[in-house]
Amino acid sequence: MNIRLDAPRSTAEYQALDAAHHIHAFVDQKALNAEGPRVIVRGEGLALWDSDGKRYLDGMSGLWCTNLGYGRKDLAAAASHQLEQLPYYNLFFHTTHPAVVELSELLFSLLPDHYSHAIYTNSGSEANEVLIRTVRRYWQILGKPQKKIMIGRWNGYHGSTLAATALGGMKSMHEMGGMIPDVAHIDEPYWFAHEGNLSPEAFGLRAARQLEEKILELGAENVAAFVAEPFQGAGGMIFPPESYWPEIQRICRQYDVLLCADEVIGGFGRTGEWFAHEYFGFEPDTLSIAKGLTSGYIPMGGLILSKRMAQVLVEQGGVFAHGLTYSGHPVAAAVAIANLKALRDEGIVTQVKQETGPYLQRCLREAFGDHPLIGEIQGTGLVAALQFAEDKTSRKRFANENEMAWQCRTFGFEEGLIIRSTLGRMIMAPALVASHADIDELVDKTRMAVDRTARAYGRL
Ligand code: PXG
């Protein structure tokens, strides 16, 4: 029996068929059809190969998700075994199965003691859809149904489904229409982009206090929750000043507003802690998870609830009118278990915290600390951003920073490196299994791409 795809085709053939039938994500499809997409055919560790045999170092873990890198046989074996044992069963109609039970046991052994229950989904967007429904249900049960406004942040990203788009703060996405009611936004804590003279700490407090102002404007009795990524991923890998999260937590507690962390990118070891909120030192009421939960080998996400919220939903809530056909899918759960065991038992998260994370951060600061194009280097663990700036001291940004960053990304691809650009920032998040040699290659190739950009724009 042939269990493989058809025999390999030429790049041109793949591109022609793709153009004929497929609408891609976040792209002008007509322009992409003219250019032809890269066809990625294989991965091993941090390396990817395209259909022309060119090798790339993947500096982005796919889309922030392949925390264990490519080619893990244990994850493939876990999926294969579960497919043979029980490929599907649902969790409706008073039923459960061993894979989802064991996943929950393992997950809550890794999470702080503050959390007790999960609602499983297939993606991060769905996790945030469920978040909105769950938070509103929570306040209904407590006799406060008017508490339903969700506050998110401009330039935050929470997914591409309807309510997740509304909750996020990507204006181009909002402009496509279909916004939902009872959602509000405050500014992002992006110190480098602020035009005044505040220190990072003072700016962080000011950014957090916008939440207080917004709650007072809307009426605390109407506000259900504040939702944010501990550090913004898709928005440019923006780390808030240290003063930010403690102040946000104070405000949420003072006004009885739930604090919801979107850990879809930050979770599962990226910062060197299991979850990014642990790195920033705050205690959210909910965590949205996906991506690194399965290292992206198979789709799975979820919403984690604090004991306090779960207690209300379980003990006082009656029927919770929500469910997805594939919630807690047994194959996804089996892969998640294998993934989490590897992250834990191979000491990968600890290694990011103690060794490879500090090494990447040190190398980036050595390579770019005095670079004429770079104004700021942010990051911790195995996530980092380089901010382009015309003048580092005054934080003056290039008028065409977006175009420069895109050019830098293109040079990166030419050098065999996958790195991402967002506005004027180059961002990277390599697999957590990155070795010193992988990190050296990542930094060297990034340096080549940034130098080529500096030369192209007459800055070197
Ligand atoms: N929350 C966060 C914080 C995310 O980063 C989602 C939710 C949605 O997850 P799903 O699984 O529904 O895609 C994400 C997704 C980028 C990029 O350009 C980032 C994401 C998705 C697509 C592109 O950095 N993150």
Side-chain angles (χ1 to χ4, degrees):
M1 183 182 53
N2 180 11
I3 58 164
R4 295 175 189 277
L5 300 178
D6 288 349
R9 304 176 194 219
S10 71
T11 301
E13 255 183 291
Y14 282 126
Q15 288 174 336
L17 281 166
D18 196 66
H21 300 298
H22 184 194
I23 304 287
H24 283 247
F26 286 91
V27 77
D28 175 338
Q29 190 62 45
K30 191 171 170 185
L32 178 64
N33 288 350
E35 176 192 320
R38 237 178 321 281
V39 183
I40 296 293
V41 296
R42 191 167 74 81
E44 186 66 41
L46 271 75
L48 289 168
W49 284 267
D50 72 14
S51 48
D52 296 326
K54 182 173 165 87
R55 175 187 175 278
Y56 301 88
L57 181 80
D58 181 6
M60 277 305 300
S61 302
L63 209 47
W64 316 83
C65 49
T66 52
N67 288 10
L68 279 183
Y70 301 100
R72 292 283 305 215
K73 301 266 186 296
D74 48 346
L75 269 58
S80 166
H81 179 260
Q82 186 61 47
L83 279 164
E84 286 176 14
Q85 178 74 26
L86 180 72
Y88 175 74
Y89 201 71
N90 66 71
L91 303 173
F92 288 50
F93 315 128
H94 303 207
T95 308
T96 194
H97 54 67
V100 78
V101 171
E102 285 182 27
L103 171 59
S104 299
E105 180 188 35
L106 179 55
L107 197 51
F108 287 97
S109 75
L110 300 169
L111 277 157
D113 192 45
H114 186 63
Y115 304 96
S116 64
H117 283 68
I119 301 172
Y120 294 106
T121 67
N122 307 290
S123 68
S125 299
E126 282 178 354
N128 288 322
E129 299 282 323
V130 175
L131 166 71
I132 298 172
R133 303 201 68 217
T134 307
V135 158
R136 289 182 176 164
R137 176 70 184 146
Y138 171 80
W139 289 119
Q140 273 178 7
I141 297 167
L142 291 180
K144 297 179 180 174
Q146 76 285 6
K147 240 172 135 50
K148 60 185 178 204
I149 299 176
M150 309 290 295
I151 302 180
R153 300 188 301 197
W154 294 118
N155 203 35
Y157 188 82
H158 300 296
S160 200
T161 50
L162 189 63
T165 296
L167 193 57
M170 299 293 181
K171 289 184 181 153
S172 61
M173 294 174 75
H174 290 183
E175 282 159 13
M176 275 176 60
M179 296 297 289
I180 63 162
D182 298 315
V183 174
H185 297 87
I186 61 169
D187 287 334
E188 58 186 323
Y190 186 3
W191 175 75
F192 201 88
H194 115 90
E195 286 168 0
N197 293 322
L198 294 177
S199 67
E201 294 321 295
F203 173 78
L205 284 180
R206 194 184 78 178
R209 285 182 192 148
Q210 265 200 24
L211 177 60
E212 189 159 34
E213 287 158 24
K214 187 57 93 179
I215 292 171
L216 292 171
E217 175 195 321
L218 298 165
E221 69 283 6
N222 300 315
V223 178
F226 173 63
V227 187
E229 303 149 82
F231 64 86
Q232 287 150 262
M237 222 303 290
I238 297 163
F239 270 59
E242 276 180 24
S243 55
Y244 183 76
W245 280 114
E247 183 66 0
I248 289 282
Q249 177 155 293
R250 173 195 69 78
I251 293 164
C252 287
R253 289 194 176 152
Q254 181 170 335
Y255 296 99
D256 205 14
V257 165
L258 293 169
L259 176 50
C260 303
D262 187 332
E263 289 268 10
V264 166
I265 282 181
F268 305 103
R270 181 56 60 197
T271 62
E273 303 291 343
W274 275 92
F275 295 90
H277 74 270
E278 298 177 278
Y279 172 79
F280 289 101
F282 67 105
E283 197 168 68
D285 296 293
T286 69
L287 312 174
S288 306
I289 58 170
K291 297 193 190 261
L293 171 61
T294 55
S295 276
Y297 277 51
I298 202 159
M300 187 175 219
L303 180 69
I304 304 294
L305 302 176
S306 67
K307 287 179 177 163
R308 176 182 93 160
M309 282 188 74
Q311 167 92 6
V312 169
L313 287 168
V314 173
E315 299 301 328
Q316 304 172 49
V319 174
F320 187 64
H322 162 81
L324 304 169
T325 303
Y326 298 124
S327 294
H329 191 286
V331 181
V335 172
I337 291 168
N339 173 61
L340 297 179
K341 282 186 176 163
L343 286 172
R344 180 193 63 188
D345 299 342
E346 294 169 27
I348 293 165
V349 178
T350 313
Q351 181 181 302
V352 171
K353 179 172 180 164
Q354 295 177 354
E355 227 208 295
T356 47
Y359 183 67
L360 171 67
Q361 302 300 329
R362 193 170 68 242
C363 292
L364 286 174
R365 279 155 186 80
E366 279 167 18
F368 295 102
D370 297 323
H371 198 282
L373 222 51
I374 304 299
E376 183 188 52
I377 305 162
Q378 280 199 312
T380 190
L382 288 183
V383 57
L386 307 174
Q387 169 80 50
F388 286 146
E390 193 169 341
D391 185 291
K392 194 172 173 163
T393 319
S394 67
R395 283 180 278 124
K396 183 164 189 273
R397 290 157 70 191
F398 293 104
N400 56 347
E401 61 172 16
N402 202 6
E403 176 200 303
M404 289 173 89
W406 185 257
Q407 182 60 59
C408 182
R409 168 206 156 278
T410 305
F411 286 142
F413 275 105
E414 286 173 15
E415 300 291 347
L417 169 69
I418 300 180
I419 181 171
R420 202 162 127 36
S421 70
T422 57
L423 299 173
R425 290 164 84 83
M426 302 309 301
I427 60 184
M428 59 183 77
L432 306 186
V433 293
S435 64
H436 281 226
D438 292 324
I439 291 171
D440 289 343
E441 185 182 347
L442 173 64
V443 175
D444 288 349
K445 288 187 166 166
T446 304
R447 176 76 200 231
M448 285 193 255
V450 174
D451 282 353
R452 282 178 68 183
T453 310
R455 276 195 290 277
Y457 286 87
R459 309 287 301 190
L460 200 68

